[in-house]
Amino acid sequence: MSQLDQLRQYTTIVADTGDFALIRQYAPTDSTTNPSLIFHASQKPEYRLLVDNAIEYGKQNCGNAVGTCLGLVLDKAFVNFGLEILKIIPGRVSVEVDARLSFETEPTVERARRIIGLFEEAGIGRDRILIKIAATWEGIRACEQLEREGIHCNMTLIFSFAQAVAAAEAGATLISPFVGRILDWHKKARGLPAWPADEVDPGVASVRRIYTYFKQHGHATVVMGASFRNTDEITALAGCDYLTISPALLDQLAQAQGEVTRCLSPECAHQEEAIARVEMTEARFRWMLNEDPMATEKLSEGIRLFARDIVRLEETLRPRI
């Protein structure tokens, strides 16, 4: 049995791609997208019709104001990709709100409502969509409001315990704590070409702590490990609620035959040393993030990178509107 098949016994596998052929190949339960993935997919000829449809939709529904229209066209393009993905997978697709709204609660809420409305126009219910929002304080407050409205959220770019706890307390359906980018930061900080074999990967340790805390304190929020650099990081989190994995690493896992041992479970979490409950106020959140240079830098970087690809996508669309 391949390592991928063994993982499926313990963990829900999610494909981290916007490529439909690869999603069909690996048959995940759910799929995640982000502006970077959609930007690259949208450059392929086979996906041109999805972009063309979004442009026509925008023109018909927002007049000739290019600036106003671009946002709607972007949302419709992301929804079009999501609709095609939902034809392939049995579960949910994650669609991201414009990263440039990461520090604005109400605009994030409005954008999320519009995305959900576009899916509902196409006959897709809220139960099959996760709205991805960067886990800033403002984004977490938007999540809290959206979850009360029955709009389910995937809080992304989570690099710290503070972000995870705040998202769970806000009632987030799912969080995406990143693994590989945490490892990248610590390797660079210590000037290491590779992480020492006798030390726990810091990204893996972060997800394990979050998972344990959630299970110990009864948080229903799903923990979905994300952003992996190698298959060892993935197998070290076997048993995590969900894992979202790139096609390249899915392929490696499908080819590998070594034994995968379950590392995380609710039962084991309760046997671990108790982690004290944290009541996450805004002041505590901001202080804890401030005291974590890795999380502060990586959160900011992640938002910038997603925003950059939204701008790049806008630049390809603008001449056609």
Side-chain angles (χ1 to χ4, degrees):
M1 182 182 294
S2 72
Q3 289 190 336
L4 181 58
D5 287 335
Q6 291 176 70
L7 270 174
R8 291 186 199 275
Q9 297 177 334
Y10 314 128
T11 294
T12 297
I13 301 300
V14 179
D16 193 18
T17 179
D19 188 308
F20 307 151
L22 292 171
I23 295 171
R24 289 190 184 92
Q25 179 179 347
Y26 295 108
T29 301
D30 287 8
S31 181
T32 55
T33 64
N34 63 49
S36 303
L37 295 173
I38 297 300
F39 171 76
H40 292 295
S42 70
Q43 306 308 300
K44 298 180 179 180
E46 60 264 38
Y47 300 135
R48 184 178 178 85
L49 286 177
L50 299 179
V51 177
D52 290 347
N53 173 268
I55 292 169
E56 287 306 310
Y57 184 92
K59 288 179 177 179
Q60 292 171 13
N61 288 276
C62 63
N64 296 319
V66 175
T68 303
C69 207
L70 266 175
L72 179 59
V73 171
L74 281 171
D75 287 348
K76 180 59 174 170
F78 292 160
V79 168
N80 284 349
F81 274 86
L83 290 170
E84 293 302 311
I85 290 169
L86 288 172
K87 294 176 183 177
I88 304 169
I89 62 172
R92 299 177 294 195
V93 67
S94 291
V95 177
E96 191 150 344
V97 169
D98 190 329
R100 293 170 296 185
L101 302 177
S102 295
F103 302 101
E104 300 179 82
T105 297
E106 284 307 315
T108 295
V109 169
E110 290 302 317
R111 203 66 173 263
R113 288 172 180 157
R114 184 165 75 182
I115 291 169
I116 288 295
L118 291 169
F119 275 109
E120 290 178 338
E121 281 182 16
I124 301 297
R126 298 180 178 193
D127 60 318
R128 298 203 67 197
I129 312 301
L130 289 171
I131 298 294
K132 283 181 76 176
I133 302 170
T136 59
W137 181 257
E138 295 80 6
I140 292 167
R141 300 282 64 79
C143 163
E144 185 175 41
Q145 185 170 335
L146 290 165
E147 291 281 358
R148 286 199 298 262
E149 297 176 14
I151 297 174
H152 304 298
C153 298
N154 169 357
M155 300 308 295
T156 191
L157 295 175
I158 286 186
F159 297 98
S160 72
F161 184 70
Q163 290 173 284
V165 172
E169 290 184 352
T173 296
L174 180 147
I175 65 166
S176 296
F178 282 35
V179 177
R181 296 192 201 185
I182 292 179
L183 176 65
D184 294 343
W185 190 93
H186 284 281
K187 284 167 57 179
K188 183 178 179 180
R190 290 173 55 177
L192 298 174
W195 195 249
D198 61 344
E199 294 186 34
V200 176
D201 181 307
V204 169
S206 174
V207 175
R208 287 178 174 173
R209 183 186 182 204
I210 290 166
Y211 177 93
T212 299
Y213 180 88
F214 281 18
K215 302 315 177 194
Q216 287 183 352
H217 294 283
H219 287 301
T221 299
V222 172
V223 179
M224 181 172 74
S227 173
F228 295 105
R229 294 292 177 262
N230 53 65
T231 58
D232 287 343
E233 289 180 328
I234 297 169
T235 56
L237 292 173
C240 191
D241 300 325
Y242 286 38
L243 296 173
T244 183
I245 306 171
S246 69
L249 293 178
L250 283 170
D251 185 63
Q252 290 181 35
L253 290 165
Q255 301 302 319
Q257 297 297 316
E259 183 178 356
V260 175
T261 302
R262 184 167 191 170
C263 300
L264 296 175
S265 71
E267 295 76 21
C268 289
H270 286 287
Q271 294 171 10
E272 295 283 345
E273 182 178 350
I275 303 174
R277 190 176 189 92
V278 178
E279 300 294 337
M280 195 58 67
T281 63
E282 179 178 356
R284 182 169 291 148
F285 175 89
R286 295 195 186 282
W287 181 253
M288 289 176 71
L289 200 58
N290 180 74
E291 291 299 284
D292 188 338
M294 176 279 297
T296 298
E297 291 175 24
K298 283 298 178 182
L299 174 59
S300 297
E301 178 189 68
I303 292 170
R304 285 196 302 271
L305 292 175
F306 284 159
R308 179 201 65 187
D309 284 327
I310 290 173
V311 171
R312 292 167 69 189
L313 188 52
E314 282 183 343
E315 289 171 350
T316 67
L317 295 172
R318 190 183 300 272
R320 301 179 59 194
I321 296 176

